[in-house]
Amino acid sequence: MGLTSSLLERGARSLLSTVKHAVDADRALQTTMGALIDSRRREHEKNPRPKWRHGDTFELLLAGYVGTRNTGADVRTEEMVKQFRHLLGDEHASLSILTIDPEWTRGYFKTLRQLHVPQLFPTFLYDQVKRFDGVVACEGSMFKSKFASALTTMMVGALGLARAEDNLAIGYGGEAGAMDASLEEMVETYVKGSLIITRNPESSSVLSRLGIDSRVGTDTAWTFGSEAVDAPHGLSEKLLRRAGWDGQKQVVVVCPIHPFWWPVKPDPWKALVHHVSGAHAKSHFRSIYFHHDAPEVEKRFVTYLQKLSGAMIDIARCRDVFPVIVGMEALDRGACERLAELIEQKTHQRWPVFSSDEHDMFEMVSVLRRASLVVSSRY
């Protein structure tokens, strides 16, 4: 019986390994999303739904990367919301936004309805996008494979489903760059007919090659501000003094990241093993998604932290400053803590850490604006 069990287990592992290598989970997600867009287009051609008419409330959906406490993504989207409310008026438009974690967007995007998007999103988008008169994709890394092809698949899904019913489809403040071949084909197929407002000419060149209309704009985060953030003795004064600032020294900020554990990719086999045994915990992102964890990743990361800590210590020694470590996204917490530990080992001083998993976007921006110098690995 024991031998039979062992053989069955080995056989199951072999089968799962074969399936894992035969099925590319990213490609499967793209295929599913594409099939749903095609289905919606056929459905619309046979039975088109009534279009928005002047005088009706315009229902607009914002699709982005909010709900992960990525300060840039949150600030960028907050500014878009202000612009849309100003242009359309609350009495004429009803705005909704997708969020990955409603707890982390609580208090953001006033007046908007927040919709919790699941990690496996194709059928969710298929059901939701048809309720709206238009979609605005609002993620900076809009059409790229560098961080997560799944994120671009979500952007394409939202825009493509809107286009399938001839509704408004706009990408705002995004970028286009290197993509996997299957993802690039998906963008070319389903984003055509949308207008993409990019934040640099290089992105527009990529889209032009794919036959997609674009205009060069900028990142909406540039105009972000509030009384709490901009006041001379507002949030930053309280936060920094609490961390030990004397109110006089120049503030120097360093924003570390983990540059080597991207892209994030879905891996059902790893997810199964993680669920059963807890293995792969360090590389687990969420759901069935995992960070890149090849053997050289940790070695490169250690080298990066050593070099960055050395540079920041040199700056602190040469100038009478108050140094602060800032994690712009909740995911950066690990990099911030490891950098702080290295610096403490070398100087016997513990630099304060401000991370977006503990501070909202208003507090994060207030600290950044107080800085005389910012050294960042995050664009």
Side-chain angles (χ1 to χ4, degrees), residues 79-106:
E79 283 305 288
M80 290 183 195
V81 169
K82 290 179 184 176
Q83 292 177 15
F84 299 153
R85 292 181 64 195
H86 173 74
L87 291 170
L88 303 175
D90 290 338
E91 68 275 20
H92 300 303
S94 175
L95 277 60
S96 299
I97 189 167
L98 302 181
T99 176
I100 294 170
D101 187 341
E103 286 302 312
W104 272 359
T105 49
R106 189 181 300 278

Side-chain angles (χ1 to χ4, degrees), residues 24 54 85 93 136 142 145 153 209 280 283 290 316-317 334 338-339 349 369:
D24 183 317
H54 184 71
R85 292 181 64 195
V136 176
M142 199 171 293
S145 290
T153 302
R209 178 171 54 80
H280 308 294
S283 63
F290 291 82
R317 283 174 178 164
R338 289 185 62 173
L339 181 65
Q349 294 179 332
R369 286 189 174 165

Side-chain angles (χ1 to χ4, degrees), residues 156-376:
V156 174
L159 293 170
L161 287 166
R163 286 299 307 142
E165 295 189 288
D166 296 320
N167 285 332
L168 182 74
I170 293 175
Y172 191 14
E175 290 188 4
M179 290 177 271
D180 296 338
S182 61
L183 186 64
E184 186 173 279
E185 182 181 355
M186 186 186 189
V187 171
E188 184 175 18
T189 302
Y190 295 111
V191 178
K192 277 183 181 174
S194 305
L195 172 64
I196 310 300
I197 302 171
T198 65
R199 57 186 187 184
N200 53 55
E202 292 80 6
S203 294
S204 285
S205 296
V206 172
L207 294 172
S208 177
R209 178 171 54 80
L210 299 177
I212 297 168
D213 190 21
S214 72
R215 304 287 186 275
V216 178
T218 189
D219 194 312
T220 57
W222 287 111
T223 58
F224 180 80
S226 72
E227 289 184 6
V229 170
D230 294 331
H233 302 290
L235 283 173
S236 62
E237 182 87 13
K238 297 174 185 176
L239 293 167
L240 290 168
R241 283 189 180 277
R242 196 180 303 157
W245 183 50
D246 63 4
Q248 300 297 320
K249 291 182 179 180
Q250 288 186 325
V251 177
V252 169
V253 166
V254 56
C255 305
I257 64 171
H258 191 328
F260 308 108
W261 67 350
W262 303 98
V264 168
K265 287 185 174 290
D267 191 325
W269 166 244
K270 267 190 182 179
L272 176 61
V273 173
H274 174 71
H275 178 73
V276 172
S277 68
H280 308 294
K282 287 186 177 180
S283 63
H284 186 230
F285 177 61
R286 59 169 62 92
S287 182
I288 64 168
Y289 293 89
F290 291 82
H291 286 284
H292 180 55
D293 63 347
E296 69 273 11
V297 167
E298 176 64 13
K299 183 179 179 181
R300 290 176 178 175
F301 187 39
V302 168
T303 301
Y304 160 83
L305 290 173
Q306 290 285 0
K307 299 294 185 182
L308 184 59
S309 64
M312 294 311 302
I313 289 169
D314 286 345
I315 290 173
R317 283 174 178 164
C318 294
R319 302 168 62 178
D320 188 22
V321 297
F322 183 73
V324 173
I325 301 171
V326 169
M328 292 294 288
E329 182 173 358
L331 282 173
D332 298 337
R333 163 66 74 175
C336 289
E337 295 295 345
R338 289 185 62 173
L339 181 65
E341 289 167 7
L342 264 177
I343 290 171
E344 187 173 18
Q345 289 171 13
K346 295 177 180 180
T347 67
H348 304 293
Q349 294 179 332
R350 183 73 178 186
W351 291 8
V353 172
F354 291 91
S355 178
S356 63
D357 56 351
E358 292 183 342
H359 298 278
D360 65 25
M361 61 181 167
F362 302 101
E363 294 174 332
M364 295 295 290
V365 171
S366 72
V367 170
L368 291 170
R369 286 189 174 165
R370 177 66 69 168
S372 299
L373 173 68
V374 175
V375 179
S376 179

Side-chain angles (χ1 to χ4, degrees), residues 102-127:
E103 286 302 312
W104 272 359
T105 49
R106 189 181 300 278
Y108 289 5
F109 319 125
K110 298 294 176 60
T111 77
L112 269 66
R113 183 166 59 111
Q114 297 192 15
L115 304 174
H116 185 194
V117 58
Q119 291 297 313
L120 298 176
F121 51 78
T123 55
F124 172 85
L125 291 180
Y126 183 79
D127 292 336

